[in-house]
Amino acid sequence: RFGVTFTVEGDDIWTASQGNGYGGESLLTSYNSAARETSTIPSAPDDWRAIVAIVTEEAIRAGLGPVVLDHESESYLRDESWQKDTRERFGTDDPDQFWSWSGFAYGDSQWLSISLSDARRDASGEAVREAKKFDSQGQSISVFYGATTVQADSRIEFAEKIKPFIGLTPPPSTTSD
């Protein structure tokens, strides 16, 4: 619909990592796909909303929830400091004037990330200068997918080890692994 082409950077299509979020070993493995990225993006805010709607539709079809943009998330709306930082970064409170949007869709143990960026929309010119440092035009749509799973040969062990914890509320994780 928008005449964009997605490409994948690098040879590693999937990156695996293990961790349990508490700093210890885990039978869980998280996989993140390489980002699919365009080198162009339409500039109109209505087009950006349409892109997010299309990705949301596909995410829901694949069993995830809707894409929630950072600047529309409950966390953002409750966090005055985050709002202030965003206002300073973009010079406005109006998301239609932002030069970058990002968000996630979640479902069980899987997620999808989307970022839309158009450095040309940054009135200060800083985004264009930053993009040039990375030999980029600063115009892209980027999407990646991730999931956490138990390896097939570890399923029985996992099922046994998780039994004592079923029904308990987990404490907050201490790391982002």
Side-chain angles (χ1 to χ4, degrees):
R1 170 177 174 181
F2 296 102
V4 297
T5 301
F6 285 87
T7 59
V8 177
E9 291 291 323
D11 295 329
D12 291 332
I13 302 299
W14 292 98
T15 304
S17 62
Q18 290 184 306
N20 64 8
Y22 300 95
E25 292 184 22
S26 176
L27 294 173
L28 301 173
T29 302
S30 292
Y31 294 92
N32 285 301
S33 72
R36 273 70 173 159
E37 193 166 351
T38 69
S39 60
T40 61
I41 186 170
S43 61
D46 286 342
D47 289 338
W48 284 31
R49 278 189 281 285
I51 292 165
V52 171
I54 290 166
V55 172
T56 290
E57 184 178 311
E58 293 301 317
I60 290 170
R61 189 173 313 177
L64 286 87
V67 170
V68 177
L69 296 170
D70 289 348
H71 63 266
E72 296 174 349
S73 71
E74 289 181 29
S75 306
Y76 175 81
L77 297 174
R78 286 192 313 263
D79 190 332
E80 290 181 18
S81 176
W82 188 1
Q83 293 171 33
K84 181 179 180 255
D85 291 346
T86 299
R87 198 169 32 256
E88 289 173 4
R89 179 177 186 209
F90 296 111
T92 180
D93 287 319
D94 180 3
D96 285 352
Q97 302 301 313
F98 293 176
W99 52 267
S100 178
W101 288 0
S102 60
F104 282 90
Y106 294 101
D108 295 326
S109 61
Q110 57 183 337
W111 55 91
L112 178 133
S113 168
I114 181 169
S115 297
L116 298 93
S117 297
D118 188 347
R120 299 169 301 182
R121 292 174 58 173
D122 178 15
S124 76
E126 183 59 30
V128 170
R129 287 188 290 278
E130 275 298 308
K132 286 182 180 179
K133 288 181 187 176
F134 298 98
D135 206 21
S136 167
Q137 297 297 313
Q139 302 157 17
S140 68
I141 304 165
S142 177
V143 179
F144 82 85
Y145 170 81
T148 299
T149 188
V150 177
Q151 299 296 319
D153 60 354
S154 299
R155 290 189 192 283
I156 293 171
E157 180 183 2
F158 181 82
E160 287 301 314
K161 286 186 174 183
I162 198 75
K163 281 181 183 177
F165 302 98
I166 293 175
L168 299 177
T169 302
S173 65
T174 57
T175 66
S176 63
D177 66 351

